[in-house]
Amino acid sequence: MIKISPSILSADFARLGEELAALEAAGADYVHVDVMDGRFVPNITIGPFIVEAAKRATSLPLDVHLMIEEPERYIGEFADAGASIITVHAEATRHLHKVVQDIRQRGARAGVSINPATPVSLIKDILGDVDLVLIMSVNPGFSGQSFIPSSLEKIKETRALLDARASSAELEVDGGIKAANIKEAADAGADVFVSGSGIFSTGEYKKTISEMRARAGE
Ligand code: DX5
Ligand code: ZN
């Protein structure tokens, strides 16, 4: 069963509560929260304060994607704010195993992510310790970019590694996913799909999410 995780980076933040309610009514599985620090990526976005507010406004699990340097500094704050999944970038920390352990000890599910130019081999040794793997299919920092086609090979490679160890970790793809290309990513082996502009720009969240789900399962 696939999952759709709309990225609120493309939401109207003046109406965040309404947007979250609309996503819930539209059948979203997770809410993807893009946290950016202006160092790991050029953009600055959301902190624990907004995650805590979002937590009060929705019962959907918050899928928090940390695009920040040394994420170990903030795991406690995001866990306390109500994150269900906390994903860190392998490129952003020297002590990935320790961070992943910390996330789980604080009661959240642990994810690891890699950028488009980072090989899957970098995360091979951590796969047994994570609940989710996030393959970036754009360079992180902004919504509305085009899907990088070579990401499909990385999804396939990760799927094969997870299957080989009979892992139940979710395989998420993030960046440039729309109803028009979701099937390719699903066929490559992804089972959680982040989409920002691909959902919010349509204005019809329920119709778009249903269409994505149908196309991914075709
Ligand atoms: C990019 C973020 C994505 C982004 C997705 O840095 O991690 O989650 O918001 O937006 P779209 O779906 O528009 O590419
Ligand atoms: Zn993201």
Side-chain angles (χ1 to χ4, degrees), residues 60-113:
L60 292 175
L62 299 179
D63 167 28
V64 176
H65 178 193
L66 298 184
M67 286 158 277
I68 66 176
E69 290 288 351
E70 297 172 359
E72 52 271 28
R73 294 175 297 149
Y74 289 101
I75 300 305
E77 285 189 52
F78 283 102
D80 289 349
S84 294
I85 303 165
I86 300 178
T87 297
V88 298
H89 270 261
E91 305 91 348
T93 178
R94 289 200 180 92
H95 300 286
L96 185 57
H97 186 269
K98 192 162 185 290
V99 185
V100 160
Q101 273 188 318
D102 189 27
I103 294 170
R104 284 180 157 181
Q105 273 164 13
R106 291 174 189 272
R109 295 169 66 211
V112 64
S113 182

Side-chain angles (χ1 to χ4, degrees), residues 1 6 22 28 36 43 59 104 113 122 138 158 173 190 195 198:
M1 194 59 181
M36 305 186 187
N43 207 356
S59 59
R104 284 180 157 181
S113 182
L122 188 75
V138 297
T158 311
V173 57
S195 180

Side-chain angles (χ1 to χ4, degrees), residues 71-215:
E72 52 271 28
R73 294 175 297 149
Y74 289 101
I75 300 305
E77 285 189 52
F78 283 102
D80 289 349
S84 294
I85 303 165
I86 300 178
T87 297
V88 298
H89 270 261
E91 305 91 348
T93 178
R94 289 200 180 92
H95 300 286
L96 185 57
H97 186 269
K98 192 162 185 290
V99 185
V100 160
Q101 273 188 318
D102 189 27
I103 294 170
R104 284 180 157 181
Q105 273 164 13
R106 291 174 189 272
R109 295 169 66 211
V112 64
S113 182
I114 50 172
N115 284 335
T118 303
V120 173
S121 57
L122 188 75
I123 54 171
K124 192 165 171 280
D125 291 349
I126 199 75
L127 291 181
D129 300 287
V130 296
D131 305 291
L132 179 145
V133 179
L134 170 52
I135 303 294
M136 285 307 300
S137 45
V138 297
N139 286 296
F142 302 93
S143 60
Q145 304 179 77
S146 298
F147 183 88
I148 297 173
S150 56
S151 314
L152 292 174
E153 277 309 313
K154 292 173 71 181
I155 296 168
K156 282 184 200 161
E157 192 182 342
T158 311
R159 171 50 64 202
L161 289 172
L162 291 173
D163 287 353
R165 55 185 319 140
S167 169
S168 59
E170 294 185 314
L171 178 48
E172 183 173 51
V173 57
D174 182 6
I177 294 287
K178 304 185 184 314
N181 64 4
I182 194 169
K183 184 170 163 45
E184 290 167 63
D187 287 350
D191 52 15
V192 182
F193 303 87
V194 178
S195 180
S197 53
I199 292 174
F200 286 91
S201 70
T202 69
E204 296 183 292
Y205 306 164
K206 185 166 193 165
K207 185 164 170 251
T208 307
I209 289 173
S210 305
E211 189 185 348
M212 285 180 155
R213 215 184 279 290
R215 290 206 187 186

